[in-house]
Amino acid sequence: SSRVVEIQSQMSERAVELLGLPEDRPCLLLDVGCGSGLSGDYISDEGHYWIGMDISPAMLDVAVEREVEGDLLLADVGHGIPFRPGMFDGCISISAVQWLCNADKKSHSPPKRLYRFFSTLYTALARGSRAVLQLYPENSEQLELITAQAMRAGFTGGMVVDYPNSAKAKKFFLCLFVGISGTLPKGLGTECADGEEIHQAKFTNERTRFRNAKGKSVKKSRDWILEKKERRRRQGKEVRADTKYTGRKRRPRF
């Protein structure tokens, strides 16, 4: 619908703005999950070049029919970004990266797929460039998982949240720097009426403290023990009931 197209173009515009591209020369951008090429249209209008990757042949067919200016590649970004090192001056992605959190096949491990995506993206980007990935996280765990894998792959940066106080307009942009740390841009709508800045929400749940970079609970922690007991219960094994003492350290002697 035209509403979707409008929101998509606004987000593409904002993502390109957050890239902070040089104004004096055309750049080559990667569009991850480019779909029918709507963000690509905006990139072309701005005088830049782009290559789009998408996992959906149907969407890419629409892009071809629309005669978009970018080059198109049918690929699953969870398998990595297959371009030579330092090729791109920036990367944008609109509403796509959260799909890497889903394990669609038995063999899919979301942390591994995210790490593969981010580590190969890091390589394909020129030093000093940025990736801006707009995403719709399902919950704070997804945000933590995605951000953790990006940092593990060598990126610096973090989440820019536009209109954090509006249920409808709130948008998440993961803004990543390659090689040099920039200052994280400010989210739109983060100032109150009297000019006071709202400090952006931190998306940490208590639960995530006990998780390591691979998204698993730290071994022998209470969470780890509870998860293990739950798995054994599901396998029909006899397991002691959970109590407040579960996972507590015993003193050396009783």
Side-chain angles (χ1 to χ4, degrees):
S1 75
S2 63
R3 180 87 190 106
V4 173
V5 171
E6 189 187 328
I7 292 172
Q8 179 96 3
S9 334
Q10 280 169 5
M11 292 192 302
S12 312
E13 197 170 325
R14 178 67 171 139
V16 173
E17 179 190 332
L18 289 169
L19 280 180
L21 298 171
E23 286 173 18
D24 52 352
R25 62 183 178 86
C27 294
L28 176 63
L29 304 182
L30 175 66
D31 184 356
V32 167
C34 63
S36 62
L38 292 173
S39 359
D41 291 347
Y42 179 74
I43 295 171
S44 300
D45 290 347
E46 290 292 291
H48 299 298
Y49 300 97
W50 58 279
I51 295 176
M53 290 177 75
D54 204 282
I55 197 169
S56 158
M59 291 296 271
L60 291 177
D61 286 346
V62 177
V64 171
E65 265 168 48
R66 291 180 58 245
E67 298 185 351
V68 297
E69 291 185 22
D71 290 320
L72 305 167
L73 176 66
L74 175 66
D76 174 358
V77 297
H79 294 159
I81 303 295
F83 292 101
R84 60 186 168 74
M87 179 162 158
F88 294 100
D89 301 305
C91 166
I92 68 162
S93 178
I94 307 296
S95 327
V97 174
Q98 73 274 1
W99 296 113
L100 287 172
C101 294
N102 302 348
D104 301 326
K105 299 197 173 82
K106 193 108 168 102
S107 60
H108 283 182
S109 144
K112 281 194 183 130
R113 284 169 59 72
L114 282 159
Y115 180 69
R116 178 115 189 97
F117 165 63
F118 281 121
S119 54
T120 52
L121 176 61
Y122 188 90
T123 306
L125 285 164
R127 301 307 87 178
S129 65
R130 296 180 191 181
V132 176
L133 317 168
Q134 180 273 323
L135 41 98
Y136 287 112
E138 263 176 38
N139 48 38
S140 58
E141 277 88 355
Q142 273 198 1
L143 275 184
E144 296 276 335
L145 174 64
I146 291 169
T147 308
Q149 296 305 326
M151 302 301 148
R152 217 185 122 210
F155 285 105
T156 55
M159 206 58 81
V160 173
V161 187
D162 282 356
Y163 309 110
N165 297 335
S166 154
K168 268 197 167 137
K170 186 177 188 177
K171 293 285 180 290
F172 296 88
F173 293 87
L174 183 56
C175 192
L176 302 171
F177 304 105
V178 182
I180 52 162
S181 272
T183 346
L184 210 54
K186 290 222 180 346
L188 300 174
T190 49
E191 297 207 345
C192 301
D194 52 4
E196 275 293 296
E197 275 194 23
I198 301 158
H199 291 292
Q200 287 179 6
K202 287 271 172 282
F203 300 94
T204 45
N205 273 3
E206 281 305 288
R207 305 285 295 181
T208 53
R209 273 191 325 195
F210 303 107
R211 292 176 180 272
N212 59 23
K214 292 207 171 83
K216 294 198 174 70
S217 292
V218 176
K219 206 159 188 152
K220 300 285 194 284
S221 65
R222 182 179 159 86
D223 278 5
W224 180 85
I225 292 168
L226 291 173
E227 284 164 19
K228 184 164 177 171
K229 288 173 80 171
E230 189 47 49
R231 276 200 304 276
R232 293 179 77 85
R233 278 191 202 103
R234 284 206 299 265
Q235 290 162 357
K237 298 196 171 99
E238 253 180 61
V239 184
R240 277 193 195 174
D242 300 334
T243 70
K244 66 179 183 179
Y245 301 110
T246 303
R248 273 200 195 171
K249 289 262 185 290
R250 290 184 178 184
R251 292 222 175 82
R253 60 167 195 271
F254 288 88

